[in-house]
Amino acid sequence: MEREFLTIAQRIVIKIGTSSLIYPNGNINLAGIDQLAFVLSDLKNQGKEVVLVSSGAIGVGMNKLHLDSRPTTIPAQQAVAAVGQAELMNIYNQRFLTYSQQTAQVLLTRDIVEFPESRKNVVNTLEQLLQMGIIPIINENDTVAIDELDHQTKFGDNDQLSAIVTQLVKGDVLVMLSDIDGFYSGNPAKNKNAILFHTIHEITPQIWDYAGDKGSKFGTGGMISKLNAAKRILLADSAMVLANGQKPQVIFDILAGKQIGTLFCRED
């Protein structure tokens, strides 16, 4: 069984997209966040090591500040992210503590993982948190991250960040939760004949052609960014499952080896 290895995955990185945290009307999906906290705490109780990469800072900030549209200037986006990140961690802390699970906030910029000394410190911190039974909640440090000349501090999006984090902690699998059931041969919202791929072993030019480009108004990641993350995961000889994050309890089924979403892994 191709997915049998998922049943013994020990170190799991979960990436939750903004669309799974924020309703289309801009309000916070508290039920989804609570379910996510429940699932990850239970995985932890099973003896697994869990890392959460969470989007949503700008989306939550927009909600908190009663903004209808995402700001267009970098300073405004960073200010909204600063408000949203604090609020998002408040909600996570509250929900995880319901299940007696301690969490920690880790904010990263690209240059931290590009420089060997900084990279080592990040890895050591994450390893220590996992050793202490704490679930690290990782996001990009949006208030300082920007691409400027040769000083690149942005990951581009949290899909890339989650793939890099999976590499850093040598994760067994990255479970990427989005607003789509997996990777299709076209946009299933527009093309009823679009086919869902259950497994992808190699990202061919044909696969790139199938990918669309836009994310939601609250987030930044589209299918292209998910393929870029999958490409990084395949190069690292790890695995990634792209699935719908509307009901986070789907993580249990994914880790039970059920055929859910799209599995990206190398052929044996």
Side-chain angles (χ1 to χ4, degrees):
M1 192 172 83
E2 193 165 36
R3 298 196 180 206
E4 200 167 352
F5 74 95
L6 293 172
T7 64
I8 55 167
Q10 183 61 22
R11 182 167 286 192
I12 298 143
V13 179
I14 309 285
K15 190 267 175 176
I16 188 95
T18 301
S19 58
S20 303
L21 301 170
I22 307 284
Y23 289 118
N25 65 8
N27 289 327
I28 299 165
N29 183 348
L30 294 173
I33 293 174
D34 184 67
Q35 200 180 111
L36 182 68
F38 166 75
V39 171
L40 301 196
S41 300
D42 193 72
L43 290 177
K44 185 69 199 41
N45 289 350
Q46 292 174 29
K48 297 182 185 295
E49 295 175 315
V50 179
V51 177
L52 175 61
V53 177
S54 175
S55 299
I58 289 182
V60 172
M62 284 167 60
N63 174 260
K64 183 88 171 163
L65 297 170
H66 309 293
L67 300 176
D68 291 328
S69 58
R70 188 185 175 97
T72 52
T73 70
I74 296 292
Q77 284 180 20
Q78 291 175 323
V80 171
V83 171
Q85 185 62 34
E87 180 69 8
L88 185 59
M89 281 309 299
N90 276 341
I91 297 168
Y92 274 136
N93 279 330
Q94 182 195 48
R95 298 326 300 154
F96 274 97
L97 284 174
T98 305
Y99 306 108
S100 305
Q101 178 58 53
Q102 182 64 53
T103 57
Q105 173 178 260
V106 180
L107 296 176
L108 298 179
T109 50
R110 183 72 183 240
D111 51 352
I112 288 174
V113 298
E114 298 293 349
F115 293 100
E117 194 64 28
S118 304
R119 183 189 178 99
K120 191 174 84 177
N121 288 337
V122 169
V123 170
N124 288 345
T125 300
L126 292 172
E127 289 288 350
Q128 184 64 44
L129 288 168
L130 291 172
Q131 198 179 315
M132 294 166 71
I134 295 167
I135 294 179
I137 299 179
I138 300 173
N139 197 356
E140 181 160 6
N141 191 346
D142 288 321
T143 55
V144 299
I146 187 158
D147 291 347
E148 188 176 323
L149 299 176
D150 59 345
H151 187 64
Q152 189 182 45
T153 66
K154 270 183 78 64
F155 290 96
D157 56 68
N158 275 355
D159 295 335
Q160 282 302 301
L161 173 59
S162 65
I164 289 168
V165 166
T166 305
Q167 283 180 300
L168 288 175
V169 300
K170 296 184 170 63
D172 296 319
V173 63
L174 166 61
V175 177
M176 188 176 288
L177 299 178
S178 185
D179 57 356
I180 193 164
D181 293 337
F183 187 82
Y184 285 84
S185 60
N187 184 342
K190 295 176 181 171
N191 177 5
K192 66 179 191 299
N193 296 319
I195 297 160
L196 173 67
F197 290 89
H198 293 297
T199 311
I200 293 176
H201 295 301
E202 184 188 358
I203 301 173
T204 61
Q206 175 87 72
I207 295 290
W208 285 111
D209 285 345
Y210 289 143
D213 202 15
K214 295 286 186 205
S216 75
K217 69 171 178 174
F218 302 107
T220 55
M223 270 302 139
I224 298 282
S225 71
K226 284 162 182 56
L227 281 189
N228 277 319
K231 184 179 173 187
R232 185 180 283 273
I233 290 292
L234 291 176
L235 285 170
D237 273 334
S238 189
M240 171 179 136
V241 177
L242 173 63
N244 197 314
Q246 190 177 16
K247 293 192 168 98
Q249 279 179 304
V250 73
I251 296 167
F252 288 140
D253 290 333
I254 290 168
L255 295 176
K258 293 183 182 176
Q259 196 176 64
I260 289 165
T262 303
L263 168 66
F264 294 86
C265 68
R266 286 189 176 280
E267 270 187 290
D268 291 334

